[in-house]
Amino acid sequence: ILPEMVRESDLPRANGIFLMFTFLAIIFGTAIAGLLKEALGEEVWKASFVCIGIAVVGTLTSLLVRKVPVAEPKLQLSWASFGVPRDIIALLRRDRELFWALIVRSMFSMVGGIVPQTVNALGKTQLGLDDFKTSIMAASIGLGIAVGCVLGGYLSKGTSSARVVVVGASGIVVMLLALALPGGEHQHLLGYAGSIPALVLLGAFTGMFIVPVQVVLQSRPPRQDKGRMIATMNQCTWVGIIIGAVIFKLSLLALEAIDWPRSVIFAITAAVMLPVALFYRPSDDVGER
């Protein structure tokens, strides 16, 4: 809905602010989850009532969102609506910039399916931390993303800046490699204290990276196709998350078989992001096609 509510030149900043609040919610949710588990003990099921309350508040506040006109009133529901419609496939074939943004967004989601689980494995299994400290590690990523989203929106200055994407992707790779370094206690060079700033920086580079990519996906499709393009993006996002979960599980089984530390999965994830950092360069021209 953002492309229909703000000017195109404001999309980077709007996305930055929007994603910042999204990840601030994730920060608080992750931290509160750890606190609730510690406080409730065996009755942790009671935390589900907190989740239901959040869902109710979210539903009620969604009613306050300004309504926008229907982009294509004559569009009919068909079996193609449950997959990727043919005209969206044709659009992606015509607009290679849009196609590669979709692929990169899916790869980003795949990484997003790996990193949080790896942080949990690092904290609880490798470093031997309790639920609260492990939640703090996970929340550190969200804190960094919140800052990085605002920074990415500001640095893009009304366009999808390739420079911002390159810095963000390169920073992600470097921070993932830093988190994978062996050595010291628990076969992890950074340890708990060193991991916190590294995770904040990882989140910051992630926020910088994703804002311009999101802007490409929102701004390039014609008005009547924007909604279905975002739907396609969400489909690919969940495919990426599922693939990421599979990669994490297979990596975990392999590391357990050879008795290597869980933090090696960060290096595997860095290898997944490396081609994006090396080769993906979005155009600054993000207007509708």
Side-chain angles (χ1 to χ4, degrees):
I1 199 174
L2 284 181
E4 300 183 58
M5 299 187 74
V6 301
R7 293 175 300 184
E8 187 177 305
S9 59
D10 292 331
L11 265 180
R13 285 182 294 172
N15 272 282
I17 294 170
F18 188 89
L19 293 174
M20 177 194 71
F21 279 107
T22 298
F23 285 102
L24 281 174
I26 292 173
I27 293 169
F28 288 115
T30 304
I32 290 171
L35 288 171
L36 286 174
K37 190 170 183 181
E38 295 249 341
L40 296 174
E42 296 296 324
E43 296 184 318
V44 71
W45 60 271
K46 291 181 178 179
S48 61
F49 290 105
V50 177
C51 299
I52 292 171
I54 294 170
V56 170
V57 172
T59 302
L60 293 175
T61 54
S62 71
L63 301 176
L64 303 176
V65 177
R66 177 166 61 86
K67 290 180 173 60
V68 295
V70 177
E72 195 170 355
K74 296 181 180 180
L75 188 65
Q76 297 294 315
L77 182 67
S78 67
W79 285 111
S81 304
F82 296 96
V84 180
R86 291 180 181 178
D87 49 350
I88 298 299
I89 294 174
L91 172 64
L92 291 170
R93 285 175 175 170
R94 291 195 308 270
D95 193 336
R96 305 305 289 179
E97 183 80 24
L98 189 60
F99 171 78
W100 284 114
L102 180 64
I103 296 298
V104 167
R105 184 67 172 79
S106 302
M107 291 181 65
F108 173 81
S109 301
M110 182 169 63
V111 170
I114 300 172
V115 171
Q117 296 184 83
T118 308
V119 170
N120 287 334
L122 170 65
K124 300 190 73 171
T125 305
Q126 188 170 339
L127 299 180
L129 303 175
D130 58 24
D131 290 326
F132 178 69
K133 285 188 175 181
T134 302
S135 295
I136 293 297
M137 291 178 68
S140 298
I141 303 177
L143 175 62
I145 291 176
V147 175
C149 286
V150 175
L151 190 60
Y154 173 77
L155 293 176
S156 294
K157 296 185 185 299
T159 63
S160 174
S161 173
R163 189 182 303 110
V164 177
V165 170
V166 172
V167 171
S170 301
I172 291 172
V173 172
V174 171
M175 288 299 105
L176 287 171
L177 290 175
L179 287 162
L181 290 174
E185 193 177 5
H186 304 293
Q187 301 181 65
H188 191 253
L189 187 62
L190 296 182
Y192 173 68
S195 294
I196 298 297
L199 290 168
V200 172
L201 285 172
L202 173 63
F205 285 121
T206 298
M208 287 179 60
F209 170 78
I210 197 56
V211 168
V213 178
Q214 192 92 340
V215 170
V216 172
L217 290 166
Q218 290 177 353
S219 63
R220 288 189 74 90
R223 182 178 181 274
Q224 70 273 13
D225 293 330
K226 286 184 188 294
R228 286 181 294 164
M229 185 64 238
I230 297 302
T232 301
M233 181 196 77
N234 288 331
Q235 287 175 316
C236 293
T237 292
W238 284 106
V239 170
I241 290 172
I242 292 169
I243 294 173
V246 172
I247 291 174
F248 171 79
K249 185 62 176 179
L250 293 176
S251 300
L252 194 61
L253 291 173
L255 293 175
E256 287 175 349
I258 59 178
D259 196 27
W260 280 20
R262 305 293 194 275
S263 54
V264 173
I265 302 177
F266 286 119
I268 297 171
T269 313
V272 172
M273 276 298 295
L274 185 59
V276 177
L278 291 177
F279 302 115
Y280 180 60
R281 301 291 184 271
S283 170
D284 282 343
D285 178 18
V286 297
E288 290 188 4
R289 290 293 175 273

